[in-house]
Amino acid sequence: MTTFEALGIDARLIQATDELGYVNPTTIQEQAIPILLSGTKDFIGLAQTGTGKTAAFGLPLLHIIDAAAKYPQALVVCPTRELCLQIVKEIELFKKYMTGISVVAVYGGASIGLQIRDLKRGVQIVVATPGRLIDLIERKAINLEQIKYVVLDEADEMLNMGFQEDIEFILKNTPARESTWLFSATMPPEIRKVSRKYMKDPKEVTVGKVNTANKSIDHQYYVTTAQHRYETLKRIIDFNPGIYGIIFTRTKLDAQEISERLTREGYDIDALHGDLTQQQRDKVMGQFRDKSLQLLIATDVAARGIDVVGITHVINYELPDDVEIYTHRSGRTGRAGNLGICVSIVHAKEMYKFKQIERINNSQFHKLDIPSGKDVCRKQFFHFMDKLLSADISHGDYESYVPMLAEKFADISKEDVLKRVAAMEFDRFLKYYENSEDLNLRERSRKDSNDRSEAPRRRDDRSEGRGDSRKEYSRGGGYSRLFVNLGTKDGFFKASFLQYILDMSDLKKEVLGKIDMKDMTSWIEIDKGASQQMIRSLDGKNYKGRRIRMNDADSGGPSGFVKRPRRGEG
Ligand code: AMP
């Protein structure tokens, strides 16, 4: 095992890493640091999060930066505000014994004025999210003329989030760039493309398996509407009669409520959540472990550390926010050489997030139709027949009852007996599913879905260029479409525009759907519940001396997408 000294790192940095308790470099550090210190220009490091990537680029950056030159020399671009802050925090710790080097974080959702002030202090390392960085470039508040080193951290994440154009813009606007270091957990073709275009003969290092997906897990998903989530869960359970599974919810309230509702409806389920005492928790876990409980519903926190053999299904009642949590959840099944199934109930608004999970997980997820009521009944029926056929009749004294049974059933055919048994077992299912509705959210082609209020565009298509192949979903509730008199001529790029409207309205990006930008105007899809807050925050305000006009595009104001003529119009 090598040491940081052997990698050739500055003694002051080693003093800091020693204090942080870093005894030996991690694999990515061991492999990347000598390359990055050797003067190699371009570098690709394929490594998962948590492998020590920050130090892998942070230590070499600090080593080679010119502390005497008080202008930005290194730019680290990363996908989120959290990561941005974390990187800065670590770099601060590493440079504890170095003087004259400063680092600043610039990210959306915080005061741009304060960040501009920080930048003016003569920083050498800028850690930024793409949207805010472009905003600063456009405002001429940051000087990238002398940036020598650009680090793209979690490059795949940034591309998944639709930042490809912004990344390319940043790379194009760093004319003195000598080295580009790209770190990514996966290597999708778009990243290859960026690396071919902007890097020269990059040295590539892969740590661990890039594809870490567990091949013994089949990832499946069903697409439905938000209001059909519970029904869909029931269908999934009913369609898998031998299921032994864990259902994950995001909140304890959901876990509790769904558990109570399913119990009332005759399901064998209990909940595990933070409000239980240790004794209650042990009881539930004991029952689940010895299989006297078929289903467990849990929050991520409560399910921490559960290791139960033989789980057939993990069901994501709602998707987690984090890919790592998804991997953690799905890893409860498919253990010890068994095959497992991880099912996610997804609704249209979550498709963007879901595609991200799929991509980072690096395995293909299978979209399935939510079984119809008929499918469920058929499946249950055959399962019951299998159970009937495999019933153990070797123990009880059944033989002595046979003459009585023969007499009782003398006038009934074998078929009729079977029908009666089936009726007893299935009445509940047949009645329940007799007129059951189709829970699938069906894709419709653009042509036959003219009514925009019912068929907003998919939000996973936020990036440009996919134009006409875009499909639409039908769903209730959904998006409003807002018009605003700001566009690319106002100097916005898509990411900076997104950041601007979110900063102004104090909303999270999850509320947004597709953004369609033209020269002077833009159209924004936004969750119905959030649209008024956005209008209130922007309409009437000033942007660069111009009054912003924002309104609901479909309620009489100017409209962008195909607007159907009203009666009497056109
Ligand atoms: P990262 O992948 O950069 O987010 O790092 C993951 C975690 O590992 C962080 O908490 C680091 O402080 C820690 N770490 C990084 N390098 C080392 C090392 N060589 N020895 C021990 N811990 C480390």
Side-chain angles (χ1 to χ4, degrees):
M1 209 172 256
T2 187
T3 59
F4 281 104
E5 282 90 347
L7 298 182
I9 296 252
D10 188 297
R12 291 166 299 173
L13 292 167
I14 293 174
Q15 197 182 345
T17 49
D18 271 352
E19 269 181 30
L20 288 170
Y22 295 8
V23 180
N24 298 102
T26 65
T27 315
I28 184 74
Q29 291 159 5
E30 190 178 336
Q31 299 201 26
I33 291 173
I35 298 177
L36 300 180
L37 288 180
S38 72
T40 301
K41 303 288 177 211
D42 291 336
F43 174 83
I44 296 176
L46 292 172
Q48 306 283 339
T49 46
T51 49
K53 274 185 301 147
T54 317
F57 64 77
L59 296 173
L61 268 189
L62 289 166
H63 185 106
I64 55 183
I65 285 289
D66 179 0
K70 305 292 180 196
Y71 52 77
Q73 299 163 44
L75 176 64
V76 180
V77 191
C78 64
T80 63
R81 158 201 182 116
E82 289 72 28
L83 188 56
C84 194
L85 288 167
Q86 192 185 320
I87 292 171
V88 167
K89 194 169 132 212
E90 288 204 37
I91 292 182
E92 294 278 6
L93 291 169
F94 299 151
K95 74 178 187 67
K96 183 174 171 190
Y97 295 102
M98 296 182 122
T99 46
I101 297 186
S102 34
V103 50
V104 66
V106 294
Y107 50 85
S111 156
I112 196 161
L114 289 178
Q115 291 176 358
I116 292 174
R117 202 189 60 196
D118 285 347
L119 284 166
K120 286 194 176 137
R121 286 201 189 127
V123 295
Q124 290 94 346
I125 303 176
V126 178
V127 184
T129 54
R132 178 52 61 94
L133 181 61
I134 288 185
D135 205 348
L136 289 164
I137 297 172
E138 286 166 356
R139 291 175 190 230
K140 303 207 183 326
I142 186 167
N143 174 13
L144 301 184
E145 293 291 314
Q146 299 179 78
I147 292 279
K148 279 194 190 167
Y149 315 99
V150 173
V151 182
L152 302 175
D153 194 18
E154 303 208 350
D156 50 357
E157 269 294 299
M158 291 198 279
L159 263 53
N160 282 340
M161 290 165 81
F163 287 136
Q164 176 148 3
E165 296 156 44
D166 305 275
I167 298 295
E168 294 202 28
F169 180 81
I170 292 163
L171 291 172
K172 280 183 200 149
N173 279 278
T174 40
R177 178 168 46 91
E178 289 174 2
S179 302
T180 310
W181 303 345
L182 183 153
F183 288 84
S184 189
T186 58
M187 198 46 162
E190 296 93 322
I191 296 208
R192 275 269 170 247
K193 243 185 351 227
V194 169
S195 76
R196 273 199 214 105
K197 210 160 152 190
Y198 297 96
M199 297 164 88
K200 261 198 229 110
D201 300 325
K203 279 244 164 53
E204 193 166 319
V205 159
T206 303
V207 170
K209 273 189 259 149
V210 174
N211 182 350
T212 54
N214 182 342
K215 292 294 177 212
S216 57
I217 302 173
D218 186 11
H219 299 268
Q220 307 177 347
Y221 66 102
Y222 297 100
V223 185
T224 189
T225 54
Q227 75 263 32
H228 283 140
R229 218 185 265 276
Y230 178 76
E231 270 304 307
T232 303
L233 172 66
K234 268 174 64 173
R235 288 263 173 109
I236 296 169
I237 299 171
D238 288 343
F239 192 67
N240 292 284
I243 191 170
Y244 175 48
I246 305 188
I247 300 157
F248 283 96
T249 58
R250 286 154 69 110
T251 65
K252 5 184 217 205
L253 191 67
D254 273 349
Q256 187 62 38
E257 280 180 3
I258 295 165
S259 163
E260 282 169 10
R261 205 165 155 191
L262 285 172
T263 305
R264 274 198 306 275
E265 297 186 52
Y267 292 84
D268 188 18
I269 186 166
D270 212 335
L272 201 65
H273 54 73
D275 287 350
L276 301 185
T277 62
Q278 189 58 40
Q279 206 179 8
Q280 287 169 319
R281 193 187 147 88
D282 291 346
K283 186 170 159 229
V284 175
M285 271 319 293
Q287 286 173 337
F288 186 60
R289 221 180 277 282
D290 69 22
K291 298 201 166 122
S292 52
L293 192 65
Q294 196 180 4
L295 295 164
L296 187 69
I297 185 159
T299 54
D300 294 293
V301 177
R304 210 171 274 162
I306 293 181
D307 187 8
V308 177
V309 184
I311 289 175
T312 60
H313 290 72
V314 163
I315 302 178
N316 293 308
Y317 184 72
E318 287 142 339
L319 283 180
D321 285 328
D322 212 296
V323 180
E324 272 176 45
I325 296 179
Y326 179 93
T327 311
H328 202 243
R329 286 181 180 183
S330 61
R332 303 307 163 104
T333 183
R335 288 181 175 224
N338 294 320
L339 271 179
I341 294 174
C342 180
V343 185
S344 299
I345 304 174
V346 184
H347 80 102
K349 255 172 58 184
E350 295 170 317
M351 283 307 292
Y352 166 72
K353 188 158 66 169
F354 191 68
K355 288 284 162 198
Q356 231 176 310
I357 294 179
E358 180 178 22
R359 211 137 157 196
I360 294 173
N361 217 276
N362 222 343
S363 49
Q364 213 194 340
F365 288 15
H366 302 112
K367 178 172 184 284
L368 302 181
D369 260 7
I370 301 168
S372 66
K374 241 190 180 143
D375 295 334
V376 171
C377 292
R378 199 177 305 123
K379 191 80 180 274
Q380 286 282 349
F381 188 78
F382 284 112
H383 178 73
F384 176 71
M385 288 306 158
D386 283 344
K387 246 170 60 183
L388 195 70
L389 284 172
S390 59
D392 183 4
I393 48 172
S394 61
H395 298 303
D397 184 20
Y398 298 111
E399 284 304 316
S400 62
Y401 293 105
V402 169
M404 273 188 303
L405 285 173
E407 197 185 324
K408 190 102 185 158
F409 291 97
D411 298 328
I412 312 175
S413 69
K414 183 175 157 189
E415 283 74 24
D416 269 355
V417 173
L418 287 175
K419 275 188 215 162
R420 279 161 211 263
V421 172
M424 275 172 65
E425 186 74 10
F426 290 106
D427 237 24
R428 180 174 79 94
F429 276 107
L430 290 175
K431 279 210 182 89
Y432 185 79
Y433 282 119
E434 207 167 23
N435 295 311
S436 58
E437 58 181 320
D438 181 5
L439 302 178
N440 290 285
L441 190 63
R442 301 281 176 198
E443 283 178 8
R444 291 196 286 166
S445 73
R446 217 184 227 289
K447 232 164 65 195
D448 60 34
S449 61
N450 255 342
D451 187 349
R452 297 240 9 118
S453 62
E454 272 184 19
R457 294 174 188 199
R458 276 164 62 172
R459 64 162 303 171
D460 54 332
D461 261 337
R462 190 177 290 165
S463 59
E464 287 172 333
R466 281 174 244 172
D468 287 333
S469 62
R470 194 180 288 131
K471 289 185 181 133
E472 299 186 359
Y473 278 108
S474 58
R475 64 190 181 94
Y479 290 127
S480 293
R481 208 157 50 93
L482 304 182
F483 161 87
V484 64
N485 62 340
L486 293 174
T488 49
K489 281 262 165 73
D490 292 296
F492 282 115
F493 281 78
K494 198 169 273 185
S496 56
F497 180 65
L498 197 119
Q499 199 64 63
Y500 175 71
I501 58 175
L502 292 176
D503 284 356
M504 289 289 285
S505 59
D506 204 22
L507 287 163
K508 292 228 160 69
K509 72 172 185 299
E510 283 72 22
V511 301
L512 295 177
K514 185 173 180 302
I515 303 222
D516 195 34
M517 294 189 78
K518 300 274 183 283
D519 290 352
M520 315 284 287
T521 50
S522 302
W523 286 267
I524 301 157
E525 278 184 356
I526 182 166
D527 273 358
K528 279 211 164 101
S531 65
Q532 286 311 312
Q533 182 171 335
M534 176 146 299
I535 294 175
R536 272 199 308 275
S537 316
L538 278 121
D539 190 40
K541 303 276 158 52
N542 271 307
Y543 182 77
K544 294 186 179 166
R546 206 148 67 79
R547 188 163 179 267
I548 301 174
R549 212 157 35 84
M550 177 180 265
N551 52 32
D552 192 328
D554 295 315
S555 64
S559 179
F561 300 125
V562 201
K563 190 181 172 194
R564 289 187 302 155
R566 294 180 191 171
R567 215 179 271 279
E569 279 180 21

